[in-house]
Amino acid sequence: MPSATKSLTLCFLAAAPLALADQAAREDYADLGDPHLNAVPRTKAEATRIATVTATATDFTIAQPFEERLAGAATVRVLPDANAFSQPSGNITFEDELEFRLGNGLFRKLWVSSPSSTLASDGLGPLFNARSCQRCHIKDGRGHPPENAEDNRVSMFLRVSIMDPDGVPDDARIAEIADYIATLPDPTYGQQLQDFAVQGHASEYALGVTYEEEIVTLADGTQASLRHPTYTAENLGYGPLAEGAMLSPRVAPQMIGLGLLEAIPAADILTNADPEDLDNDGISGRPNIVWSVEFDQPMLGRFGLKAGNPTVMQQSAEAFAGDIGISNPLFPAGAGECTVNQTHCQNAIHGDDDARGTEIDAMGMDLVTFYSRNLGVPARRDVDDSQVLRGKEVFYRTGCTACHTPSFVTHRLENQPEQSFQLIWPYTDMLLHDMGPALADNRPEARATGSEWRTPPLWGIGLTEQVSGHTYFLHDGRARSLLEAVLWHGGEAQAQRDAVVNMPTADREALLRFLESL
């Protein structure tokens, strides 16, 4: 295979330019590795050019150069239907598009239980949340919370963990990560709850959710309703959860632009971190530092709602194991997420064999990773529209860019041309921010506290309804519109949320129009 079987090499940062209070704290981050392919070091001239093209906008009467090309040369045209997120990178070669299609086939593949005559497709479960990646990331877009009692909840689940009573991670290597919060899987249910099971096995639970509505009145008299969710794990199939079990609802996020986010230099992300809020702007983004199974070292977390995974490969592999119960080279357990206390599941027939080694082998994982890296980001719309430009100005002046960093330039990657040296506009700083008690799931993940979330990318957000058939946002889909999503902001974003509540109607409408253009 031309790209899928190429090996990764690490390039370590000489220094991580964090805005930290002292040099000792700065050195804690000095050895973070970048998950990139043979990055070519930037010249001083390139660094100057990059600083120029990523500088904060000051003129809001016209669009910035290349602003409509959210993913640089990898940007794709906007399709008029639900396939808008399912296109390969705009700069992919003809030969690599074949590899993309093969990866798409594995992403859409329906797995079956073992034993089966379809040996290349067996190994499902025994416990699982979905039979394929596509079942959760429908059309490569966002999942949604259950809309009624008959909804099968297939694109949403509950993560679960307990606090480690010792307060120190069992793995001494992980314990060396500063501020790492020691948690353990639930001894019976593992790290996430699966609501489906193959024949002869009991599913772990049924997801229950109820809402209470809260009316919020804006300064101009407009009323919005926020729904406060309560989640329960019902019909537990293997006894009670452990005492103190922490549950976190998760909706499947959109898939576009992942390879470009992975290609942002770690140094550029860390430059925006300000954990001590030394600039006194009320924003104190922190990097999540997680353990890389792929590289066997601590790395910057980039993916997942709390930045709990460092690479697209590990994010994909963990989803195969946890969501579908498919063993893979990074997570080779044939029983998937089954724990040692689920003996019937552990003793079941699994789909790994001598030929594959695991239920999806290394080549299959490479193909799925290549596909996930190369889902194209559609171009922006209406960048020159006067209302959109006014909304952009409101977005900047309100301080939204303190977390939603507009643009980056990716590494030069000789072996990954689709992501190489692109000016991209994801509108995320890739850092953790405390979003206040209303959005807190109260479940830590690595260095992320129970009230911290990674800033989500905003590119493609205006196409959510077209692709996914709904306008549900945030980590659990509680927000039913972009306005509701903004109104849920608290903690570090409380000032920005309050500014939206109090701004004139025309400015708020322009702000939403700008977001819809992304």
Side-chain angles (χ1 to χ4, degrees):
M1 309 302 294
S3 300
T5 57
K6 293 172 181 172
S7 61
L8 290 171
T9 60
L10 284 176
C11 175
F12 292 99
L13 301 178
L18 277 169
L20 295 177
D22 54 60
Q23 183 63 28
R26 184 185 301 271
E27 289 172 355
D28 286 341
Y29 300 92
D31 290 329
L32 287 179
D34 262 322
H36 54 70
L37 296 173
N38 300 320
V40 178
R42 291 173 176 172
T43 66
K44 289 184 178 180
E46 286 176 340
T48 300
R49 288 170 53 203
I50 290 168
T52 299
V53 299
T54 59
T56 301
T58 56
D59 183 356
F60 298 99
T61 62
I62 59 173
Q64 292 170 264
F66 313 113
E67 190 176 7
E68 74 281 3
R69 297 173 66 81
L70 290 172
T75 306
V76 297
R77 64 191 178 95
V78 182
L79 297 180
D81 55 28
N83 295 308
F85 288 175
S86 299
Q87 305 172 75
S89 298
N91 55 353
I92 199 169
T93 66
F94 178 79
E95 293 78 11
D96 280 356
E97 187 170 348
L98 172 60
E99 187 170 357
F100 177 87
R101 300 299 177 190
L102 291 171
N104 184 24
L106 288 170
F107 193 83
R108 298 168 60 91
K109 177 179 181 175
L110 293 175
W111 294 84
V112 298
S113 58
S114 301
S116 170
S117 59
T118 56
L119 296 180
S121 299
D122 68 345
L124 176 67
L127 305 175
F128 61 97
N129 295 106
R131 290 182 58 198
S132 74
C133 307
Q134 183 77 204
R135 286 289 181 93
C136 290
H137 303 277
I138 301 169
K139 292 293 185 181
D140 305 294
R142 299 173 186 270
H144 60 84
E147 296 179 318
N148 52 57
E150 288 70 41
D151 194 323
N152 64 11
R153 293 141 165 81
V154 74
S155 59
M156 185 178 191
F157 64 79
L158 296 177
R159 289 208 180 277
V160 60
S161 58
I162 59 174
M163 295 303 298
D164 189 327
D166 297 331
V168 178
D170 293 337
D171 190 325
R173 301 170 302 175
I174 297 176
E176 293 180 359
I177 299 175
D179 300 324
Y180 197 96
I181 303 170
T183 62
L184 296 170
D186 182 275
T188 299
Y189 291 93
Q191 299 183 87
Q192 72 185 61
L193 296 174
Q194 285 87 15
D195 49 356
F196 293 100
V198 301
Q199 186 175 5
H201 295 262
S203 61
E204 290 188 324
Y205 85 122
L207 172 63
V209 55
T210 57
Y211 296 102
E212 289 188 11
E213 298 283 346
E214 175 196 3
I215 301 300
V216 177
T217 302
L218 310 186
D220 64 358
T222 299
Q223 288 191 329
S225 181
L226 303 185
R227 55 179 187 174
H228 290 256
T230 298
Y231 298 98
T232 53
E234 301 175 355
N235 303 328
L236 290 167
Y238 297 86
L241 292 161
E243 184 178 356
M246 302 172 289
L247 301 176
S248 178
R250 304 293 175 91
V251 165
Q254 65 185 30
M255 294 287 295
I256 57 174
L258 299 185
L260 293 163
L261 297 176
E262 187 179 55
I264 299 171
D268 292 356
I269 295 171
L270 294 172
T271 296
N272 293 323
D274 185 14
E276 305 299 330
D277 191 21
L278 297 183
D279 60 4
N280 296 311
D281 67 350
I283 307 297
S284 51
R286 301 192 311 127
N288 202 356
I289 311 301
V290 301
W291 189 260
S292 169
V293 178
E294 189 177 355
F295 296 113
D296 196 32
Q297 70 165 54
M299 292 183 72
L300 174 68
R302 297 173 186 250
F303 303 106
L305 294 164
K306 287 181 179 278
N309 271 313
T311 64
V312 176
M313 170 69 83
Q314 185 163 322
Q315 179 77 6
S316 302
E318 188 175 277
F320 265 111
D323 300 355
I324 315 178
I326 297 298
S327 63
N328 57 76
L330 293 189
F331 301 97
E337 240 262 307
C338 296
T339 68
V340 295
N341 290 329
Q342 295 170 320
T343 54
H344 186 42
C345 179
Q346 289 285 345
N347 295 329
I349 298 174
H350 304 300
D352 47 340
D353 54 41
D354 292 338
R356 286 180 291 169
T358 51
E359 290 161 342
I360 183 169
D361 61 14
M363 181 176 290
M365 281 305 310
D366 286 340
L367 287 167
V368 172
T369 301
F370 185 82
Y371 171 76
S372 300
R373 279 192 183 126
N374 281 286
L375 280 163
V377 179
R380 271 192 64 192
R381 287 80 55 210
D382 304 322
V383 293
D384 294 317
D385 180 90
S386 60
Q387 187 183 32
V388 170
L389 288 168
R390 174 56 185 160
K392 177 184 174 182
E393 182 176 14
V394 172
F395 186 84
Y396 278 63
R397 303 293 190 213
T398 304
C400 302
T401 57
C403 299
H404 291 283
T405 303
S407 59
F408 291 93
V409 172
T410 60
H411 275 302
R412 279 198 184 277
L413 305 174
E414 292 181 345
N415 297 327
Q416 207 169 316
E418 298 86 4
Q419 287 82 47
S420 180
F421 210 59
Q422 300 299 319
L423 170 61
I424 62 173
W425 305 76
Y427 287 89
T428 173
D429 60 5
M430 303 289 283
L431 297 172
L432 299 171
H433 294 276
D434 188 329
M435 296 301 293
L439 280 181
D441 66 349
N442 301 310
R443 177 183 177 271
E445 185 173 336
R447 298 178 76 245
T449 69
S451 59
E452 288 182 317
W453 300 94
R454 183 204 66 165
T455 305
L458 296 183
W459 51 15
I461 197 169
L463 296 172
T464 298
E465 185 170 18
Q466 176 182 316
V467 172
S468 301
H470 64 75
T471 54
Y472 299 141
F473 301 105
L474 302 179
H475 66 279
D476 57 358
R478 68 178 68 185
R480 293 161 293 190
S481 67
L482 290 172
L483 176 59
E484 286 187 28
V486 171
L487 295 178
W488 273 108
H489 283 50
E492 295 177 42
Q494 185 69 44
Q496 287 72 28
R497 179 263 185 199
D498 292 347
V500 172
V501 169
N502 293 308
M503 68 178 46
T505 304
D507 282 356
R508 187 177 69 250
E509 290 177 348
L511 173 65
L512 297 175
R513 180 82 189 283
F514 165 71
L515 293 174
E516 289 167 353
S517 78
L518 296 177

